[in-house]
């Protein structure tokens, strides 16, 4: 089906996959963040933040996919297809801010090293 007449079967499958991927990623974010705090591992904490951003961008991709299926109207004669491009731009901007934050905390960790429980890190890595 043409996107001007509603979502096609492949777009519905994609939307369902985005929902499941987002849910699974959110669950892992919580587990990984907790493991990072318990183990004292900045690597796990920052990876959980990275995965949280991935979850956010998956949710944004779902939103963009949903918005882009809307038909054209008088104001947007070409429709809403640019929603996907705008969401990709938002993703890039968010990642830049996350990179700055991770860099800051990494610098702090280099200045003040802390012990890390390697067993928790290894188990979390194996699960991930």
């Amino acid at each position: 089906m043409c996107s001007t007449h509603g979502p096609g079967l492949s777009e519905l499958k994609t939307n369902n996959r985005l929902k499941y991927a987002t849910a699974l990623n959110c669950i892992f974010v919580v587990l990984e963040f907790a493991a990072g705090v318990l183990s004292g591992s900045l690597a796990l904490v920052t990876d959980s933040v990275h995965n949280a951003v991935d979850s956010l961008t998956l949710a944004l991709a779902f939103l963009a996919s949903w918005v882009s299926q809307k038909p054209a109207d008088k104001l947007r004669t070409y429709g809403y297809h640019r929603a996907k491009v705008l969401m990709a731009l938002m993703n890039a901007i968010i990642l830049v801010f996350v990179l700055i934050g991770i860099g800051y905390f990494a610098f702090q960790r280099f200045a003040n090293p802390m012990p890390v429980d390697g067993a928790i890190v290894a188990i979390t890595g194996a699960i991930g």
Side-chain angles (χ1 to χ4, degrees), residues 18-91:
L18 284 171
K19 284 183 207 176
Y20 294 132
T22 302
L24 287 172
N25 209 29
C26 286
I27 292 167
F28 188 69
V29 163
V30 172
L31 295 174
E32 188 176 34
F33 185 81
V37 170
L38 286 174
S39 68
S41 172
L42 182 62
L44 286 181
V45 171
T46 57
D47 190 51
S48 71
V49 171
H50 172 244
N51 281 329
V53 171
D54 286 347
S55 292
L56 175 64
T57 56
L58 283 169
L60 289 175
F62 174 73
L63 178 65
S65 177
W66 176 72
V67 169
S68 70
Q69 294 169 13
K70 294 173 77 175
D73 56 26
K74 290 180 183 178
L75 184 60
R76 289 163 207 85
T77 57
Y78 288 102
Y80 291 80
H81 300 288
R82 298 275 189 236
K84 293 178 182 179
V85 175
L86 291 174
M87 293 302 173
L89 175 63
M90 285 179 60
N91 178 31

